[in-house]
Amino acid sequence: SIYALGKVTAYFACKMYREVYNLKVYGAIFYNHESEIRPEEYVTRRITKAVARIFYGKQKKLVLGDINAQIDWGYAKDYVEVAYKITQQKKPDFFIIGTGIKHSVKDFVKKCFAYVNLDYKKYLKIDKKLFRPSKTVSLSSNTNKAKKILNYKVKTNLNKLITIMMKNDLKIEEQNNN
């Protein structure tokens, strides 16, 4: 993907500036980092906002594409904290940050609907037009280096992340009702 190409280019550019110009360049590849302030264009936020709207009777269906896609989702706040730790290292280096665990979009959807005690099957509609033209590779992060050097640990698992996002979006919809 063009996104992956951009990441690889940035990685090698940073590496070059560190080695050639002796600059103190730190970096990381952050796997999907989600939060309650993500725009609705991102699938996780589209899901949590739709579930909240469905719960409050403002929306009838959640329309998605490939719900079998597997993604390594983490919490953005945790990733910002580890980004700070990375920049505090004496020797500049690159790290991989993620959870190391893949979950399907379907799992995410099921957990969000379960949060409000609704059966996702009654509200989910699959639209083939939303499938990506080319299948993206499913990756999970290898954080061994970050664990060893930074003592990195996943703080927020998927269930906690969904709780954070659902509480936020339910509160927003409740306030919009009043």
Side-chain angles (χ1 to χ4, degrees), residues 66-99:
D66 183 6
I67 61 170
N68 295 313
Q70 299 272 323
I71 302 168
D72 181 343
W73 279 305
Y75 187 33
K77 182 179 177 186
D78 296 346
Y79 292 14
V80 169
E81 289 173 11
V82 78
Y84 177 77
K85 268 185 150 177
I86 290 169
T87 63
Q88 301 312 299
Q89 301 302 299
K90 286 186 179 176
K91 182 180 175 230
D93 207 347
F94 273 78
F95 296 89
I96 305 293
I97 305 301
T99 67

Side-chain angles (χ1 to χ4, degrees), residues 102-155:
K102 294 185 288 187
H103 296 276
S104 70
V105 174
K106 183 178 181 179
D107 289 338
F108 196 94
V109 168
K110 286 167 75 171
K111 289 173 184 282
C112 290
F113 275 103
Y115 187 85
V116 293
N117 295 314
L118 293 174
D119 180 1
Y120 80 98
K121 292 175 188 170
K122 293 180 180 178
Y123 304 98
L124 179 63
K125 181 181 185 299
I126 303 300
D127 184 346
K128 298 275 186 189
K129 291 182 215 153
L130 296 176
F131 279 57
R132 292 184 177 196
S134 64
K135 184 116 172 108
T136 52
V137 177
S138 175
L139 302 170
S140 64
S141 58
N142 178 343
T143 60
N144 290 338
K145 182 178 173 182
K147 287 176 184 174
K148 182 179 173 186
I149 296 172
L150 305 170
N151 197 28
Y152 171 70
K153 293 179 180 84
V154 175
K155 289 183 179 181

